[in-house]
């Protein structure tokens, strides 16, 4: 299991805080997988005993993050604070994965 390390912003090129390697990739753990099943009537004469066709599609959708403090302020002010704060978007830090040691860190 990889451990998460928080690292501050730096102007230098990105390196792993554990091993100092430059072999890092963006780690996308903020994806949610949604599957959708579509059922249609079988019109193929070569398969007479099959009544329906089933197709399943799976796609990755980013998770929606909501800042609870902004939602609370919007409820108390009747929605007027959303104009001032810019909605309920939150600034999420990107997570990076070191290919050499398997460390996951934020920067």
């Amino acid at each position: 299991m990889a451990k998460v390390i928080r690292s501050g912003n730096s102007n230098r090129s990105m390196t792993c805080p554990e091993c100092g390697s430059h072999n890092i990739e963006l780690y996308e753990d903020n994806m949610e997988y949604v599957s959708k099943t579509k059922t249609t009537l079988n019109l193929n004469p070569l398969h007479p005993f099959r009544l329906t066709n089933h197709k399943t599609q799976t796609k990755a959708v980013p998770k929606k993050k909501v800042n609870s403090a902004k939602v609370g302020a919007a409820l108390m002010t009747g929605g007027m604070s959303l104009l001032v704060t810019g909605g309920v978007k939150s600034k999420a830090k990107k997570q990076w994965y070191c290919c050499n040691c398997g460390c996951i860190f934020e920067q």
Side-chain angles (χ1 to χ4, degrees), residues 85-105:
T85 60
V88 291
K89 298 178 184 174
S90 63
K91 296 180 180 177
K93 292 184 177 183
K94 293 183 179 178
Q95 290 186 339
W96 298 90
Y97 172 74
C98 178
C99 296
N100 290 347
C101 66
C103 173
I104 297 173
F105 60 97

Side-chain angles (χ1 to χ4, degrees), residues 39-58:
T39 304
T40 59
L41 185 63
N42 182 24
L43 298 176
N44 188 352
L46 298 178
H47 298 282
F49 298 113
R50 184 185 302 168
L51 298 176
T52 58
N53 296 327
H54 298 287
K55 291 183 181 177
T56 304
Q57 293 178 343
T58 304

Side-chain angles (χ1 to χ4, degrees), residues 13-103:
S13 64
M14 294 190 54
T15 59
C16 175
E18 291 270 323
C19 64
S21 171
H22 294 284
N23 189 11
I24 57 174
E25 294 178 355
L26 186 61
Y27 180 74
E28 297 202 22
D29 191 26
N30 57 352
M31 299 304 271
E32 185 175 300
Y33 295 96
V34 178
S35 64
K36 181 179 174 184
T37 304
K38 182 178 178 182
T39 304
T40 59
L41 185 63
N42 182 24
L43 298 176
N44 188 352
L46 298 178
H47 298 282
F49 298 113
R50 184 185 302 168
L51 298 176
T52 58
N53 296 327
H54 298 287
K55 291 183 181 177
T56 304
Q57 293 178 343
T58 304
K59 69 177 188 177
V61 179
K63 291 181 184 176
K64 295 179 181 178
K65 296 184 180 180
V66 177
N67 191 343
S68 60
K70 288 184 181 180
V71 171
L75 289 174
M76 292 190 324
T77 60
M80 294 302 293
S81 67
L82 292 177
L83 298 173
V84 176
T85 60
V88 291
K89 298 178 184 174
S90 63
K91 296 180 180 177
K93 292 184 177 183
K94 293 183 179 178
Q95 290 186 339
W96 298 90
Y97 172 74
C98 178
C99 296
N100 290 347
C101 66
C103 173

